[in-house]
Amino acid sequence: MSQPELTGAQALIKSLEMQRVEVMFGLPGGAILPVYDPIIDSSIRHILVRHEQGAGHMAEGYAHVTGRPGVAMVTSGPGATNIVTPLADAYMDSIPLVVVTGQVATTSIGTDAFQESDITGITMGVTKHNWLVTDAADIPRVVAEAFHVATTGRPGPVLIDLPKDVANATMEWYWPEPSDLDLPGYHPVTEGDPILVRRAAELLLAAGRPVIYAGGGILKARASDALLELAERTGIPVVTTLMARGSVPDSHPLCLGMPGMHGNYTAVTAMQRSDLLVALGSRFDDRVTGKVDTFAPGAKIIHVDIDPAEHHKVRRADVAIAGDCRLVIEELLSALDALGLPASGRSGPGGDGGATADSRSTGASRASGATPMDALPGSVAVPGSLAATFPRERLDSWRAQLAEWQERFPLGYTGQAGEGGLKPQYVLETLRDATPDDTIVASGVGQHQMFASQWWRFEHPYTWVNSGGLGTMGFGVPAAIGAKVGRPDRMVWAIDGDGCFQMTAQELVTASSERIPVKIAILNNAYLGMVRQWQEMFYEERYSEVYLSPDLPDYVGWAESMGCVGLRVTTPEEVGPAIDKANAVDDRPVVIDFRTDAGEKVYPMVAAGASNDDIVVDPALGQGGR
Amino acid sequence: MSPYGVDQRHHILSVLVENKAGVLARVAGLFARRGYNIFSLAVAPSGDDRMSRITIVVDVESAPLEQIVRQLDKLIPVVQITELDPAESRERELLLATVAVGPEERGQVIQLVGVFEGKIVDVGADRLTVMVAGAPGKLDDCEDLVRPYGFVELQRTGRVALPRLDRQTHSHVRTHQTEKAG
Ligand SMILES: Cc1ncc(C[n+]2csc(CCOP(=O)(O)OP(=O)(O)O)c2C)c(N)n1
Ligand SMILES: [Mg+2]
């Protein structure tokens, strides 16, 4: 019984269908032409972008909110090089992507043929792996390998380079069994070593000033529920890094919010003073640790990461567990059972009253930062067990300390006075309070990103999509579009900077023509604001090449020309109504040009290379800079 | 000390890789982009024709060996990494050199090379090409002694190594093949 003969191009599309790909983002060209023909007959929705970078970031946004790999397809040469930035971005933030690039015919490779570029060479350092396919018969196997590598272990981007003659050649169709994959050197670990898990559980019970340092790996491992159970059972507070915002609800009394360079005082200082840091899917990034030598000097470290190369890379761990965060946390919970600390009996976030308020408190109370640390859910130790020798009350003074910091050093700003344009924080608070709490927020890179991460209240995992590791300006608009494609049921807002918007705004044409109703809030401060902030603080206000202009381009006119609704907001009174208007539009994208105060700086701040002990809070708030 | 000699900074990694196009570039690229220094690198087919063996002498002062091994292990075509402690392994290398010697001094060089159990590979009017194989430290000595005659060209292969057979235990060989990174 012979299998049908397919062209390599048909085999590629059929292989993507076998992987249950529903959407792909791309833009055709000469070398990938053969593969664009079978797309016409495929069940896969192809979204035609206006620039290949857009395709890559859309695939990232899609992957982030759905948990499924994002797929993009582009032509050789410039098409391929245009998608290098998204690959690098996805590599830094461990996002599963499968990118297919066309390539010149195998007979022309190495001859500087038209639109030839060595894309497997170029992307070696920014992909988890890549393949140059030289035989059409390999296509199904390579596609299956690519999806396997992208989505297992530490997720990441992969690239398949497909020469045109291979796409045109014929092959006998087959679909590989898992055992047919040819990956003798790839065996990701998933379960933690039970001895190490037990040792970690003992440290958890004994610590007096513990902090859970939750990173993006929690979301990748879909470990939010497990993390919440761990935090509640042990009573250990959690900081959520830029990549982990939403993994624990911000309203939860154990959530301390974001640590790092622009983290809040309590989150940063809790880590500094802790005696045990439980790093779960986090990697001691320099933006979190500040000066490494002075980072959390008194802390023992438990480090759970699926990538063993992260262990001891920046900070030596006392207990390093290689494994999937969800599985390892579940193992930790079993170990706690065995040590006499059983489940708290609570079913999940919002499951019982008081502690997790499901209604939003006002911006003001958020700014005051007073999270109720009493009324904590938790479990009771079995008498006579190891857990009973370390009663929960041992954490009371630590919690009191944290509450005191929250009281003394809340996140704040000087408020929305009339002068000098809108306060970005005021815009964000208003937007936050006017949108459903499962709204997906994407952002660009700069001050607006930090303000968004600080001032939004993330109540659900997978509601925050941003570029953390690479810090890619222009990420916001296409990532929001990809997120909306993945979750059409959710409201999706991009919070963007004027500088970032100008890098990838053309994708709003894609969104309009594909009827993807994303909403964009440009915090238009007329500057490359984050760079301006550094020049103000560290280069004596010598502003070099950071001024953009508030009205060149005319953002409203530009938005309208791209088929979007365009709105402009210059006064505080207009903020709420404009947002309501935007929220009511669901047949096309909306862009709001918020004219914000260029002088507003992001605080708190730990200067690059400085110690986290030297965190500076907003001097304007009268805290004496500390 | 010659850059070829064995000292505290050197560690030998014997890396079994899939025999596929571009694998050497992946390994070399990893060392380059992570700032790990390589003292020498030798690639050769292994017993299994689907695999090749790369012997890398790394500078563990540029990065901790553990980091180097774990990052290397993340490369998909890397199948197995064996750490060889120089003190616990047998290393060999080959030296090929053309020396500028005419008829008068030729005998002296031939004698020297003979001491190191080397061979004369080629003889010209005022040149001599010699070959010496042996432990890297031996080659260092030979090189030092022949240098005064004047090297026209000198090439060394970089070392290959296998664990020392000590009949007792193989605990000094640390193999990374189960602990694969995701
Ligand atoms: C592609 C890229 N180029 C340059 C930078 C450096 N950079 C970081 S933030 C920033 C300014 C961003 O300006 P804008 O989008 O207006 O945001 P703001 O900081 O004003 O909120 C720049 C230039 C970057 N992160 N990415
Ligand atoms: Mg700006």
Side-chain angles (χ1 to χ4, degrees):
Chain A
M1 196 180 71
S2 87
Q3 293 288 331
E5 287 255 310
L6 297 186
T7 65
Q10 291 166 333
L12 181 85
I13 294 299
K14 188 158 178 177
S15 300
L16 296 178
E17 289 168 357
M18 293 300 287
Q19 290 289 352
R20 290 192 211 86
V21 173
E22 287 167 1
V23 188
M24 60 199 289
F25 305 90
L27 194 149
I32 196 72
L33 261 173
V35 189
Y36 268 81
D37 187 73
I39 284 181
I40 296 174
D41 306 316
S42 172
S43 60
I44 300 173
R45 176 183 182 193
H46 180 278
I47 290 176
L48 174 63
V49 299
R50 268 41 178 187
H51 185 293
E52 291 87 351
Q53 183 185 1
H57 293 321
M58 285 179 205
E60 290 187 82
Y62 175 89
H64 190 88
V65 302
T66 62
R68 312 192 47 207
V71 180
M73 189 156 79
V74 299
T75 195
S76 67
T81 53
N82 273 349
I83 208 161
V84 172
T85 299
L87 285 168
D89 192 272
Y91 189 60
M92 283 290 227
D93 287 347
S94 306
I95 296 178
L97 284 195
V98 177
V99 171
V100 179
T101 50
Q103 180 56 279
V104 301
T106 49
T107 46
S108 301
I109 288 177
T111 66
D112 304 315
F114 179 62
Q115 293 193 329
E116 179 182 358
S117 73
D118 170 21
I119 200 64
T120 49
I122 289 169
T123 60
M124 232 169 234
V126 294
T127 53
K128 192 168 164 187
H129 193 56
N130 58 29
W131 290 259
L132 171 65
V133 184
T134 52
D135 182 347
D138 291 341
I139 290 172
R141 180 180 49 79
V142 168
V143 171
E145 288 174 4
F147 276 79
H148 180 65
V149 169
T151 55
T152 55
R154 179 177 183 168
V158 298
L159 180 141
I160 300 171
D161 199 21
L162 184 67
K164 194 170 184 179
D165 56 338
V166 178
N168 284 328
T170 54
M171 53 85 69
E172 206 168 283
W173 170 256
Y174 65 96
W175 184 244
E177 295 294 317
S179 60
D180 295 334
L181 301 192
D182 183 20
L183 298 166
Y186 183 66
H187 312 281
V189 282
T190 51
E191 275 164 39
D193 178 335
I195 295 168
L196 297 176
V197 168
R198 162 122 189 173
R199 203 177 301 158
E202 288 166 2
L203 287 177
L204 288 179
L205 287 177
R209 297 187 310 282
V211 174
I212 293 172
Y213 160 29
I218 292 288
L219 294 173
K220 299 302 178 320
R222 312 205 91 72
S224 285
D225 290 345
L227 169 60
L228 201 61
E229 168 66 19
L230 179 70
E232 292 186 347
R233 205 192 288 190
T234 56
I236 301 179
V238 185
V239 299
T240 51
T241 67
L242 183 66
M243 293 310 297
R245 304 286 292 125
S247 60
V248 168
D250 273 335
S251 61
H252 194 284
L254 287 170
C255 184
L256 302 180
M258 183 172 75
M261 179 176 268
H262 293 296
N264 71 73
Y265 182 91
T266 306
V268 171
T269 311
M271 290 176 92
Q272 283 304 93
R273 305 291 163 78
S274 68
D275 67 351
L276 177 69
L277 271 184
V278 189
L280 303 175
S282 47
R283 60 180 177 85
F284 297 84
D285 182 82
D286 55 270
R287 258 36 184 177
V288 168
T289 60
K291 191 174 176 210
V292 175
D293 298 345
T294 61
F295 173 66
K300 285 210 162 93
I301 308 282
I302 296 171
H303 191 181
V304 180
D305 203 299
I306 197 156
D307 178 358
E310 290 303 338
H311 293 145
H312 320 301
K313 184 180 82 177
V314 175
R315 171 77 178 253
R316 185 141 285 275
D318 298 275
V319 181
I321 304 175
D324 173 88
C325 265
R326 186 176 59 78
L327 297 180
V328 174
I329 294 173
E330 284 167 3
E331 289 173 68
L332 269 171
L333 291 169
S334 308
L336 289 171
D337 275 339
L339 294 170
L341 196 68
S344 58
R346 194 171 162 287
S347 50
D352 64 3
T356 50
D358 53 8
S359 66
R360 291 172 163 239
S361 54
T362 66
S365 81
R366 164 69 181 175
S368 83
T371 26
M373 295 290 279
D374 40 29
L376 275 171
S379 45
V380 181
V382 174
S385 66
L386 182 72
T389 43
F390 298 106
R392 215 179 157 71
E393 296 73 53
R394 80 189 189 285
L395 298 179
D396 285 354
S397 60
W398 178 228
R399 282 208 211 92
Q401 172 68 82
L402 298 173
E404 190 217 310
W405 287 332
Q406 287 179 321
E407 189 70 29
R408 255 176 64 212
F409 302 109
L411 208 51
Y413 67 100
T414 47
Q416 181 56 63
E419 298 293 292
L422 301 165
K423 293 288 179 192
Q425 303 94 331
Y426 172 75
V427 174
L428 286 166
E429 286 190 299
T430 313
L431 183 57
R432 175 194 72 197
D433 293 340
T435 49
D437 77 356
D438 64 357
T439 298
I440 292 169
V441 183
S443 89
V445 168
Q447 291 182 313
H448 62 280
Q449 172 192 30
M450 291 297 117
F451 286 135
S453 183
Q454 291 177 336
W455 290 90
W456 205 263
R457 193 183 306 103
F458 295 99
E459 293 295 279
H460 301 276
Y462 314 107
T463 54
W464 171 238
V465 186
N466 89 131
S467 166
L470 197 66
T472 308
M473 283 178 70
F475 178 83
V477 168
I481 295 169
K484 183 71 181 173
V485 169
R487 292 304 304 260
D489 54 319
R490 296 282 190 82
M491 186 178 279
V492 177
W493 274 91
I495 293 164
D496 217 2
D498 46 330
C500 288
F501 184 80
Q502 293 188 58
M503 288 201 177
T504 49
Q506 80 287 338
E507 296 310 333
L508 287 171
V509 179
T510 306
S512 290
S513 53
E514 294 275 345
R515 305 218 169 279
I516 305 164
V518 291
K519 304 175 201 307
I520 318 292
I522 306 175
L523 301 185
N524 176 6
N525 55 7
Y527 275 95
L528 297 170
M530 186 58 94
V531 183
R532 181 189 194 277
Q533 173 167 345
W534 285 48
Q535 290 178 349
E536 179 178 340
M537 296 172 73
F538 309 119
Y539 291 86
E540 289 124 21
E541 299 179 38
R542 284 163 55 83
Y543 298 120
S544 175
E545 305 298 325
V546 286
Y547 179 67
L548 296 175
S549 158
D551 47 19
L552 181 66
D554 166 4
Y555 292 98
V556 171
W558 191 8
E560 283 170 353
S561 77
M562 293 189 288
C564 310
V565 174
L567 302 169
R568 176 166 299 125
V569 175
T570 53
T571 66
E573 300 71 51
E574 295 167 341
V575 173
I579 290 168
D580 292 342
K581 206 164 161 188
N583 282 344
V585 176
D586 66 0
D587 62 343
R588 71 193 67 192
V590 186
V591 176
I592 309 183
D593 170 15
F594 289 103
R595 296 292 172 86
T596 59
D597 181 355
E600 197 60 29
K601 292 195 285 294
V602 186
Y603 285 110
M605 178 162 187
V606 178
S611 165
N612 281 352
D613 292 330
D614 298 325
I615 182 170
V616 178
V617 301
D618 191 347
L621 294 175
Q623 306 282 3
R626 166 69 188 272
Chain B
M1 170 167 207
S2 141
Y4 300 100
V6 175
D7 64 35
Q8 294 299 309
R9 299 173 59 181
H10 291 188
H11 247 274
I12 308 164
L13 298 178
S14 176
V15 185
L16 194 66
V17 298
E18 285 183 78
N19 189 8
K20 286 185 177 165
V23 174
L24 181 59
R26 287 178 201 279
V27 171
L30 172 80
F31 275 76
R33 74 177 168 269
R34 294 215 178 251
Y36 306 154
N37 291 341
I38 301 179
F39 281 113
S40 73
L41 184 148
V43 196
S46 69
D48 177 346
D49 63 4
R50 291 167 309 163
M51 302 288 165
S52 301
R53 185 168 296 282
I54 306 182
T55 308
I56 313 172
V57 182
V58 296
D59 173 2
V60 293
E61 238 163 53
S62 63
L65 183 67
E66 174 186 55
Q67 249 309 292
I68 299 175
V69 168
R70 289 183 181 197
Q71 293 292 354
L72 201 52
D73 207 18
K74 286 209 284 185
L75 296 179
I76 307 288
V78 167
V79 176
Q80 190 192 76
I81 304 170
T82 308
E83 290 174 35
L84 300 175
D85 180 341
E88 299 288 345
S89 53
R90 299 293 186 202
E91 303 168 60
R92 290 298 178 268
E93 194 182 354
L94 185 103
L95 174 155
L96 211 52
T98 298
V99 190
V101 279
E104 318 82 62
E105 290 172 324
R106 207 180 267 155
Q108 297 174 29
V109 172
I110 291 172
Q111 205 182 352
L112 260 179
V113 169
V115 170
F116 290 93
E117 294 169 3
K119 290 205 170 80
I120 307 308
V121 177
D122 203 1
V123 186
D126 52 359
R127 299 249 193 295
L128 194 61
T129 295
V130 303
M131 182 201 87
V132 188
K138 279 268 165 59
L139 301 196
D140 292 345
D141 295 345
C142 179
E143 196 184 314
D144 289 346
L145 290 164
V146 178
R147 176 168 293 111
Y149 297 93
F151 285 126
V152 179
E153 283 205 68
L154 172 74
Q155 281 184 28
R156 291 175 65 159
T157 57
R159 71 194 73 186
V160 291
L162 286 173
R164 198 160 91 179
L165 306 176
D166 61 5
R167 287 176 279 284
Q168 299 274 324
T169 157
H170 294 272
S171 60
H172 56 273
V173 182
R174 289 186 41 208
T175 297
H176 297 254
Q177 55 181 345
T178 47
E179 203 190 62
K180 286 299 290 195

